[in-house]
Amino acid sequence: MARTLINLPKTARAGDVITIKTLISHPMETGFRPGADGRILPRNIVTEFVCRFEGEEIFRAELFPASAANPYLTFTWVATASGRFTFTWRGDDGFDQTESAPIAVA
Amino acid sequence: MPRRPGLPPPAAVLALLLVGAPAGAEPIAPADRRSGFDQMGPEIQAMQRDETANPGMLAVADGAELWATPPAPGRQPCAGCHGEAAVGMRGVAARYPAWDARTGRPIDLQDRVNACRRTHQGADPLAYESPDLLALTAFVAAQSRGMPIAPPDDPRLGAARAEGRALFEARQGQLGLSCAICHDDHWGRRLGAAVIPQGQPTGYPLYRLEWQGMGSLQRRLRNCLTGMRAEPFAYGAPDYVALELYLATRAAPLPLETPAVRP
């Protein structure tokens, strides 16, 4: 499992715009670089990130080989109700990881 | 001019040496010391400051997990002896490298981590620049974030520190450069696209964008040595620890920043 750091407020008021920040540990190997033995290292990147709130998609990003290692994605959301976010990263070699975090909206 | 053995040095040379010594004592006065952080662009500064954007925090989180995990079944985890790192490890990184009585030489923080693995955990040392060694060292060092670098006032370190300074000031490599030419005499000027920093060791292990990953101070020093077209020392060499000792003295009292971000 890749290490992730997810940051969002624990609570918000309805109508607040909150910022969600995510960071995942991933080499984002481009598929264009030679390794120590001179052979091209196989591409190994995260290709897709999706954030859902209570199952409904609220943010999606596609990633490509030029992205830096350990992709950092930040986006905003208008607080509507209490519930749970899920964060899913998918990529090469069957990479598939989901994390979640709650928010309480008053 | 060759001197015949047994004769005292000429008075003029002696006078120069005496005058020269105090002036050379501190090439950069404590009040003028600046972290490389100050010379970075605002985006990279923001990335370092924001714990949720700083990729070095991923390594620190890995280190926190390793801290609490036994290296093998039945062995003590770091936490088993040292407890809560926020308490037991606070301030430790600020006074490393330090004297190691067991081996009778100075060791840096990563060697201290490996010394505990070997002596107190019965485990193999972790390889230099391996993710686990960087993570544990970054986790321990992060407990001292914001504290001033405070090299120990231990006379046993004197010889290695002086050796480190001599290495720093000696010209080496095919370009005939010394560390001091760049970092004492020309900091703040440009070298190609890079601004030459004072070369302060405040943020290690740190995340370097050029590396796309974490690295130790020794890795950074290797980079500079290669840039000078000098032969880098092997990881763990006493020469690096000597340089690290001098760098710490030269940096005090700048605050520790681990895990820093650098271009």
Side-chain angles (χ1 to χ4, degrees):
Chain A
M1 284 266 283
R3 171 80 53 191
T4 59
L5 293 177
I6 294 165
N7 186 268
L8 58 119
K10 287 188 180 63
T11 59
R13 278 178 319 199
D16 282 358
V17 176
I18 65 153
T19 300
I20 300 173
K21 302 176 185 174
T22 68
L23 185 62
I24 187 164
S25 165
H26 197 284
M28 296 300 278
E29 190 56 60
T30 61
F32 300 120
R33 293 194 319 150
D37 63 358
R39 267 187 273 186
I40 297 294
L41 296 166
R43 192 185 93 162
N44 177 21
I45 65 167
V46 172
T47 51
E48 178 191 86
F49 170 81
V50 181
C51 174
R52 296 188 178 83
F53 180 70
E54 292 294 317
E56 185 194 338
E57 182 172 315
I58 62 164
F59 179 83
R60 166 183 291 268
E62 284 174 46
L63 288 91
F64 296 92
S67 308
N70 309 313
Y72 171 66
L73 289 167
T74 173
F75 47 94
T76 55
W77 178 70
V78 180
T80 50
S82 298
R84 183 163 282 276
F85 295 100
T86 60
F87 306 90
T88 301
W89 292 261
R90 288 208 180 85
D92 295 331
D93 258 342
F95 187 82
D96 188 343
Q97 182 163 337
T98 296
E99 303 286 336
S100 74
I103 190 166
V105 175
Chain B
M1 198 179 66
R3 250 182 349 103
R4 255 170 285 145
L7 283 182
V13 174
L14 195 65
L16 266 179
L17 282 174
L18 288 175
V19 173
E26 294 201 332
I28 304 177
D32 298 329
R33 294 176 186 173
R34 300 279 176 276
S35 160
F37 179 90
D38 296 0
Q39 294 167 338
M40 305 194 302
E43 298 84 6
I44 306 180
Q45 288 186 340
M47 187 191 242
Q48 175 174 326
R49 271 205 207 95
D50 182 348
E51 289 203 355
T52 57
N54 181 338
M57 291 307 293
L58 295 165
V60 171
D62 286 344
E65 192 175 308
L66 289 167
W67 179 260
T69 312
R75 297 280 158 78
Q76 286 265 35
C78 316
C81 290
H82 295 293
E84 192 70 54
V87 181
M89 289 292 128
R90 181 138 178 85
V92 170
R95 49 183 170 73
Y96 268 72
W99 187 256
D100 180 41
R102 200 168 281 111
T103 53
R105 62 183 183 94
I107 56 171
D108 62 12
L109 194 60
Q110 54 179 355
D111 278 341
R112 177 66 254 180
V113 170
N114 267 337
C116 271
R117 276 184 65 89
R118 209 179 293 121
T119 324
H120 298 303
Q121 294 186 307
D124 287 335
L126 297 164
Y128 288 111
E129 304 308 304
S130 63
D132 284 4
L133 184 57
L134 290 168
L136 270 169
T137 311
F139 174 68
V140 170
Q143 310 307 319
S144 304
R145 207 157 23 142
M147 296 178 75
I149 291 179
D153 186 13
D154 181 337
R156 293 170 297 181
L157 297 170
R161 195 174 277 144
E163 204 181 295
R165 177 164 189 174
L167 272 171
F168 193 86
E169 292 174 349
R171 288 175 184 268
Q172 45 187 320
Q174 292 174 334
L175 301 178
L177 290 170
S178 70
C179 318
I181 289 176
C182 283
H183 293 301
D184 283 345
D185 302 341
H186 290 101
W187 67 269
R189 312 265 283 271
R190 279 184 178 280
L191 184 72
V195 180
I196 301 175
Q198 289 183 353
Q200 304 293 10
T202 44
Y204 291 83
L206 56 65
Y207 191 90
R208 190 162 178 225
L209 300 177
E210 189 181 308
W211 295 333
Q212 292 279 294
M214 294 291 286
S216 70
L217 180 54
Q218 293 193 6
R219 181 170 179 193
R220 174 66 251 183
L221 301 185
R222 272 181 91 85
N223 278 193
C224 279
L225 284 163
T226 314
M228 298 156 76
R229 304 228 194 124
E231 185 74 44
F233 310 110
Y235 278 113
D239 312 71
Y240 280 133
V241 180
L243 270 172
E244 289 175 62
L245 263 171
Y246 174 60
L247 286 173
T249 316
R250 186 178 169 272
L254 289 174
L256 274 179
E257 298 164 49
T258 310
V261 178
R262 291 289 182 271

